[in-house]
Coordinates of all heavy atoms in Angstrom, one line a residue:
I3 N 19.4 3.0 4.6 CA 18.2 3.6 4.0 C 17.9 4.9 4.8 O 17.8 4.8 6.0 CB 17.0 2.8 3.9 CG1 17.3 1.6 3.1 CG2 15.9 3.5 3.3 CD1 16.1 0.5 3.0
D5 N 15.6 6.9 6.1 CA 14.1 6.8 6.3 C 13.4 8.2 6.2 O 12.2 8.3 5.9 CB 13.8 6.2 7.6 CG 14.5 7.0 8.8 OD1 15.6 7.1 8.8 OD2 13.8 7.3 9.7
I62 N 6.9 14.8 8.2 CA 8.1 14.1 8.2 C 8.8 14.0 9.6 O 9.2 13.1 10.1 CB 9.1 14.6 7.2 CG1 8.6 14.4 5.8 CG2 10.5 14.0 7.2 CD1 9.5 15.1 4.7
K64 N 7.3 14.3 12.4 CA 6.4 13.5 13.4 C 6.1 12.2 12.8 O 5.2 11.4 13.1 CB 5.2 14.3 13.6 CG 5.4 15.7 14.3 CD 4.0 16.3 14.5 CE 4.1 17.6 15.3 NZ 2.8 18.2 15.6
I124 N 4.8 -5.8 17.3 CA 5.3 -6.7 16.2 C 4.1 -7.6 15.8 O 3.9 -7.8 14.5 CB 6.5 -7.4 16.6 CG1 7.7 -6.5 16.8 CG2 6.9 -8.5 15.5 CD1 9.1 -7.2 17.3
I140 N -9.5 -10.2 -1.4 CA -11.0 -10.4 -1.6 C -11.5 -9.5 -2.7 O -12.3 -9.9 -3.5 CB -11.7 -10.1 -0.4 CG1 -11.3 -11.2 0.9 CG2 -13.1 -9.9 -0.5 CD1 -11.8 -10.8 2.3
V177 N -6.4 -20.3 -3.1 CA -5.1 -20.7 -2.8 C -4.0 -19.5 -3.0 O -3.3 -19.3 -2.2 CB -4.7 -21.9 -3.7 CG1 -3.2 -22.4 -3.4 CG2 -5.6 -23.2 -3.5
L204 N 24.6 -1.5 15.2 CA 25.3 -0.2 14.9 C 26.3 0.2 16.0 O 26.0 0.0 17.2 CB 24.3 0.9 14.6 CG 23.5 0.7 13.3 CD1 22.4 1.8 13.3 CD2 24.3 0.7 12.1

Side-chain angles (χ1 to χ4, degrees):
I3 299 174
D5 56 305
I62 293 172
K64 296 181 178 179
I124 291 172
I140 290 171
V177 176
L204 292 177

